[in-house]
Amino acid sequence: MTMTPEEITAFVDRLYATTGVGNWEAAAEMLTDDFVAHEADGLPMAGKFRGKNGLKDLYGKVMGMVDVVALERSALPVSEDCAIAVLTMRFADPELQPVELCEMFRFRDGKCCEIKPYYFDPAPFLAACEAKKAAA
């Protein structure tokens, strides 16, 4: 099942909205059984998060490290089976520099099978992790 660019855009926005409110049951239904989210070495959440609960596991890990208050999407270039969300991650502490990143989504049979984030500069994310540790 090939998705149109409009369907992909709606899907990505729906997945962000679903995960943003913690509706993990609905999010799992949007993922393939072999879903994988990759986080790069050098980040505190490095690794592969697999399966229908992989995204929930990744979010749980990240949200335990930083206090994210907004994930703003500014662009979403789309191709036949993928999209790249251009994002700004903002933290509860307004003194912390926002993180600029992109997330590549791949689709198969109307579901998301892979997400791969790319951080422009991981330093602001690492600083937010340190700030949360210091506040604890």
Side-chain angles (χ1 to χ4, degrees), residues 7-113:
E7 289 170 330
I8 289 174
T9 298
F11 184 104
V12 169
D13 288 342
R14 190 171 63 253
L15 186 58
Y16 280 129
T18 301
T19 57
V21 296
N23 187 346
W24 297 111
E25 187 175 311
E29 289 305 311
M30 299 173 75
L31 307 176
T32 61
D33 291 340
D34 64 346
F35 169 83
V36 61
H38 308 267
E39 288 288 353
D41 291 340
L43 292 171
M45 66 285 206
K48 291 180 173 47
F49 298 81
R50 298 181 180 276
K52 288 196 168 276
N53 288 317
L55 197 55
K56 177 182 179 183
D57 296 343
L58 173 58
Y59 269 62
K61 191 167 192 175
V62 170
M63 296 310 165
M65 295 176 182
V66 294
D67 293 320
V68 177
V69 294
L71 196 59
E72 301 162 354
R73 181 177 67 75
S74 58
L76 189 74
V78 175
S79 75
E80 289 182 19
D81 70 344
C82 80
I84 298 174
V86 180
L87 304 166
T88 301
M89 181 186 295
R90 300 193 186 279
F91 302 106
D93 180 349
E95 298 296 315
L96 292 170
Q97 179 180 343
V99 174
E100 295 177 332
L101 70 148
C102 295
E103 289 187 330
M104 182 202 59
F105 291 78
R106 289 210 181 274
F107 302 95
R108 186 176 64 243
D109 299 326
K111 294 188 177 191
C112 182
C113 61

